Amino acid sequence: MSDTVTKAPERLAEPIRAEDLPHPMEKWLRMDRIPHIWCPTCGLGTVVTALVEGIKEAQIEPDRLAVVSGIGCTGRVAGYMKFDSFHTTHGRALPFATGLRLSNPKMKVVVVSGDGDIFGIGGNHFIHAARRNMDLTVICVNNFIYAMTGGQVAPTTPGPANTSTTPFGAFEPPFNLPYLAESCGAVYVARWTSLDVRRMSHSIAKALLKPGFSLVEIIAPCSTLYARRNRLGSGLDLLKFYQQNAIIQNGAKTADVGIDFQRPFIVGEFVDAERPTWEELMRKQMKSVLGEKFIPHEGGECSSCE
Amino acid sequence: MAKADPQGVLTGAHYIDGDEACAEGAMAAGCRFIAGYPITPSTEVAERMAGRFPTMGGTFIQMEDELASMAAIIGACWGGTKSMTVTSGPGFSLMMENVGLAVMMETPLVVVNVQRGGPSTGLPTMPGQADMMQAKWGSHGDYEIIAVAPNSPQEAFDLTIEAFNLSERFRSPVFVMLDECVGHMTEKVVIPPADRIEVVPRFMYEGPPEKYLPYQVDGGRDGVPISPMLHAGMGARFHTTGLTHDHRGYPVMTPECHEQLLSRLVGKIRDHKDEIVHVVETDVEGADVVVLSYGISTRVAYGAVADAKRKGLKVGHVEMKIVWPLPETRILEIAAKVKGLVMVEMNLGQVVREVQRLVSGRCKVLLAGHYGGTVHDPKKVLSKIEEAAR
């Protein structure tokens, strides 16, 4: 899928040196910020690759896409993506993205953040952005734990997983993210593991092209904290677990896709529905009442900019 | 300076309250995005703009809370629209988190706080001026902030425009510190024609977008060390973050980078504090006592100053239209010549402590404070003036 063609060196006798080859993603990544801060075998690198592939598949101009992240391991995604990118405050990526989108409706706005960021501290913003059907794509990387702060229990942690704040096992019921998203009004909802690179990319492309509020949940390994605390082996062991236990069931009822601790779980494309977006509803309402007097916000330049 | 966009200017004489006048000032200044959450006594600002925006290309959205409102206007600003939010006490507390983000990202925007009695839910329908130190220091970390404090609906209009202009000039959030009394006070407000309203344009980058570095300060603008902006979608594909960052907007976790960033963030306002002064002085020369006031307390001080003059006291009055940064140089000049200063404010001692710290015993600095819920009793202000004159 990469459109970067690597030309063979003219004199084949010379060995090919890695530093002479263009990185296949250098058009889309901030190469001056690589290497990234993520742990070996973290799922985030794959998610970033899939996001780039999804953007390419959806044929979105890089200048027309903004990436907004909150705080946490996944919150660092914005900083590596070569787009207009905003690393905001904990949980507030969605309202920031809402303002950005309404101010500049030409932009596709993608929120990439973690489960704790979007569904813990930012939970209220998620349910309202979904209710409004705001034209945003949310990629939530779910590693079942607050990783950057050292492995505390999250609103997604399945019991009885061990975390640093549940040393005797988690007991609170976790959120079922696709079910929550659908019930709040999201028009596109999918879940894949970080192993499902192609399916994840396709879903991200579909989500980007779908007008309205979409969620792609990515189940991703955190070998440093979640796996180690729960004696689940390495990141590779977790990927093997996904391979053997992620059951693809497109169109599954979201009520049935809750995740238990180290049990088989359902992935797939769950919701693909039609519903007018906030912007469509707003314009329709204003036109019906104000008629010709309504002047829509065109975005872009502010009226008094130099 | 540029002129206001006529579409947002409701030229003429109006009989409106301070909240509505504030909204008119924002629209005249070019604000075209407001995110808000209902809270007494500030809601009328958002209501006015929700009603007027659809016919001038503006967007209003009622967010789920004040955390979201504040985050949304930062996003909207980076999207290219002049933006603001409006709230009161409890909502102001919630906004503090992202006020810090706006400071760190150097986002020009305006936050209106129509102050009411606190702490907590306090007196929702009654005035207070007890959020002044929160305006100065409410978000965590070191920063400087700009805050204006109108004393009438006309000033609510004028100073809201000034707030937007200062936000662009210093690439900083600016607070409009109204109070319930001014917010709900209805008076005549004269809105001039658009071509008589000066608007500071955004400082925009003019080079090739691919070369843009969002925090590269090359001389700044008008002596202020700020970098020019580009908005999302202009081809720069820039990065910005709430983390300590370098000229590229990239996170750099070193004490050296932190020092470099903070010295500029704080310095761009602190080093220009003498240019951010807006005071109105009456009879200060030759006075024995000078009354300092801001916002609604200025209106109370008028009465007390008049009473003191009738009693034969030599009293001057400095009305501070901009409270933060404090007009330090001018206060020190005055302190050197008078017996005492009297700070009139509707709290139990906030701005007065900054004045006391500044004056450091050069003259008496007395507080004419008040619990809030009503305006001051001018007699109590008068007794403080008499005490300062002794």
Side-chain angles (χ1 to χ4, degrees):
Chain A
M1 297 221 301
S2 166
D3 60 5
T4 309
V5 180
T6 306
K7 261 178 78 178
E10 283 175 15
R11 282 176 294 165
L12 285 171
E14 279 188 18
I16 298 170
R17 298 183 308 169
E19 55 266 40
D20 293 338
L21 298 175
H23 188 286
M25 306 247 292
E26 67 180 18
K27 253 177 81 177
W28 296 274
L29 296 186
R30 299 186 190 281
M31 297 310 293
D32 53 352
R33 291 214 62 219
I34 306 291
H36 56 66
I37 64 163
W38 298 315
C39 306
T41 76
C42 171
L44 278 162
T46 318
V47 173
V48 169
T49 304
L51 175 55
V52 168
E53 294 300 335
I55 292 166
K56 283 156 67 177
E57 185 180 328
Q59 297 188 326
I60 294 167
E61 269 296 304
D63 291 354
R64 285 271 165 259
L65 184 129
V67 183
V68 183
S69 286
I71 296 297
C73 294
T74 314
R76 290 304 192 97
V77 167
Y80 299 119
M81 304 287 294
K82 200 167 170 183
F83 297 85
D84 290 321
S85 58
F86 302 90
H87 182 218
T88 67
T89 38
H90 198 19
R92 317 296 169 222
L94 272 163
F96 187 105
T98 297
L100 181 62
R101 164 72 196 190
L102 294 181
S103 159
N104 197 336
K106 295 185 211 93
M107 298 299 285
K108 279 270 170 208
V109 184
V110 187
V111 170
V112 190
S113 227
D115 48 308
D117 186 80
I118 296 178
F119 292 96
I121 190 167
N124 196 31
H125 309 310
F126 180 88
I127 64 175
H128 286 280
R131 172 182 63 82
R132 294 182 184 113
N133 200 21
M134 196 53 68
D135 206 340
L136 302 171
T137 294
V138 178
I139 296 167
C140 177
V141 180
N142 181 0
N143 56 10
F144 306 113
I145 207 160
Y146 283 92
M148 187 163 273
T149 46
Q152 295 78 26
V153 70
T156 47
T157 310
N162 182 293
T163 74
S164 67
T165 47
T166 57
F168 309 109
F171 52 86
E172 289 184 12
F175 269 139
N176 169 349
L177 303 185
Y179 187 36
L180 178 66
E182 183 182 23
S183 51
C184 294
V187 289
Y188 181 84
V189 181
R191 172 198 282 159
W192 301 105
T193 73
S194 66
L195 195 64
D196 304 308
V197 184
R198 290 172 64 85
R199 294 186 184 97
M200 182 179 12
S201 305
H202 291 319
S203 271
I204 289 171
K206 277 180 96 165
L208 286 170
L209 293 173
K210 179 98 189 175
F213 190 83
S214 49
L215 169 71
V216 180
E217 179 190 6
I218 311 294
I219 308 298
C222 170
S223 61
T224 305
L225 293 158
Y226 190 72
R228 192 164 62 184
R229 288 198 76 93
N230 289 290
R231 303 181 198 287
L232 303 175
S234 67
L236 187 62
D237 291 323
L238 275 178
L239 291 180
K240 282 178 185 154
F241 174 80
Y242 297 161
Q243 191 184 24
Q244 287 155 14
N245 292 279
I247 303 158
I248 298 175
Q249 209 177 309
N250 291 318
K253 280 173 73 177
T254 55
D256 301 333
V257 303
I259 297 179
D260 294 323
F261 183 66
Q262 295 303 101
R263 296 279 303 269
F265 60 97
I266 296 169
V267 296
E269 190 180 78
F270 303 135
V271 178
D272 191 353
E274 304 302 324
R275 207 159 70 87
T277 67
W278 189 94
E279 287 155 77
E280 287 167 345
L281 288 170
M282 184 270 285
R283 287 174 188 228
K284 190 175 161 208
Q285 182 68 21
M286 294 296 174
K287 274 183 197 156
S288 74
V289 177
L290 295 169
E292 291 299 306
K293 279 190 269 179
F294 172 56
I295 301 176
H297 184 118
E298 290 304 334
E301 308 295 319
C302 63
S303 52
S304 53
C305 289
E306 271 177 342
Chain B
M1 282 280 195
K3 302 297 176 190
D5 170 11
Q7 209 161 39
V9 184
L10 201 64
T11 303
H14 307 272
Y15 190 59
I16 52 178
D17 72 18
D19 281 355
E20 294 169 314
C22 173
E24 290 302 331
M27 291 182 282
C31 177
R32 293 293 180 272
F33 184 87
I34 178 169
Y37 184 83
I39 188 164
T40 304
S42 70
T43 314
E44 292 86 343
V45 181
E47 285 171 347
R48 179 109 176 170
M49 292 170 84
R52 299 248 292 126
F53 261 178
T55 55
M56 67 172 80
T59 299
F60 164 77
I61 182 167
Q62 185 167 312
M63 296 301 286
E64 51 274 19
D65 55 32
E66 290 89 347
L67 300 159
S69 302
M70 189 63 215
I73 67 167
I74 303 173
C77 178
W78 283 101
T81 310
K82 279 198 180 183
S83 307
M84 72 175 246
T85 185
V86 55
T87 190
S88 296
F92 200 52
S93 294
L94 290 186
M95 287 179 183
M96 284 301 139
E97 172 195 55
N98 284 304
V99 164
L101 183 67
V103 166
M104 201 61 150
M105 287 184 168
E106 300 187 66
T107 312
L109 48 82
V110 168
V111 178
V112 179
N113 177 6
V114 187
Q115 295 172 91
R116 62 193 223 185
S120 190
T121 313
L123 299 170
T125 61
M126 299 173 186
Q129 287 184 313
D131 305 347
M132 296 309 294
M133 290 314 281
Q134 187 182 22
K136 180 136 182 69
W137 296 120
S139 199
H140 57 277
D142 264 326
Y143 60 94
E144 283 285 338
I145 206 80
I146 302 173
V148 305
N151 74 27
S152 65
Q154 182 68 53
E155 280 197 359
F157 175 82
D158 296 338
L159 291 177
T160 301
I161 295 174
E162 189 164 341
F164 270 97
N165 286 345
L166 288 164
S167 78
E168 297 293 343
R169 186 156 165 235
F170 292 94
R171 262 193 80 172
S172 169
V174 174
F175 296 134
V176 177
M177 301 299 284
L178 277 163
D179 59 75
E180 187 278 335
C181 202
V182 174
H184 286 162
M185 171 197 294
T186 301
E187 288 184 342
K188 184 179 171 185
V189 174
V190 178
I191 300 180
D195 62 9
R196 287 181 49 203
I197 297 173
E198 302 280 358
V199 171
V200 175
R202 183 151 297 169
F203 183 27
M204 297 299 289
Y205 174 80
E206 282 165 0
E210 64 279 7
K211 295 249 169 79
Y212 178 62
L213 297 166
Y215 297 100
Q216 173 74 41
V217 179
D218 291 319
R221 180 171 70 169
D222 301 334
V224 182
I226 55 169
S227 53
M229 286 184 80
L230 280 184
H231 302 137
M234 289 180 155
R237 295 163 74 181
F238 63 87
H239 183 61
T240 179
T241 172
L243 286 166
T244 293
H245 49 266
D246 64 10
H247 60 292
R248 298 169 298 175
Y250 290 179
V252 178
M253 301 294 100
T254 66
E256 294 75 24
C257 184
H258 195 61
E259 181 180 337
Q260 200 175 23
L261 176 63
L262 256 61
S263 65
R264 189 174 62 75
L265 285 188
V266 170
K268 72 179 177 181
I269 292 173
R270 206 176 273 179
D271 297 345
H272 292 82
K273 63 181 191 295
D274 289 340
E275 299 159 35
I276 315 176
V277 174
H278 185 164
V279 294
V280 172
E281 298 186 5
T282 314
D283 299 331
V284 170
E285 291 310 315
D288 289 329
V289 175
V290 167
V291 171
L292 305 172
S293 66
Y294 59 89
I296 187 61
S297 298
T298 291
R299 306 279 290 254
V300 180
Y302 289 151
V305 168
D307 288 345
K309 283 177 177 165
R310 272 193 285 277
K311 288 192 161 196
L313 296 174
K314 288 199 274 183
V315 187
H317 189 183
V318 175
E319 305 170 27
M320 297 192 287
K321 310 301 179 188
I322 296 176
V323 179
W324 306 127
L326 208 61
E328 292 183 2
T329 308
R330 187 60 189 139
I331 289 174
L332 280 174
E333 283 168 4
I334 295 168
K337 295 179 192 165
V338 298
K339 287 185 186 168
L341 298 171
V342 176
M343 181 83 226
V344 190
E345 56 181 337
M346 205 191 300
N347 56 54
L348 304 183
Q350 295 200 9
V351 179
V352 70
R353 294 191 183 186
E354 281 292 282
V355 176
Q356 284 163 341
R357 181 188 62 77
L358 178 72
V359 170
S360 302
R362 289 177 179 85
C363 71
K364 277 186 265 186
V365 180
L366 303 181
L367 166 69
H370 182 50
Y371 291 91
T374 64
V375 295
H376 289 70
D377 179 349
K379 287 194 196 86
K380 291 187 176 161
V381 180
L382 176 62
S383 73
K384 289 288 176 186
I385 296 173
E386 289 171 328
E387 188 184 334
R390 279 198 286 273

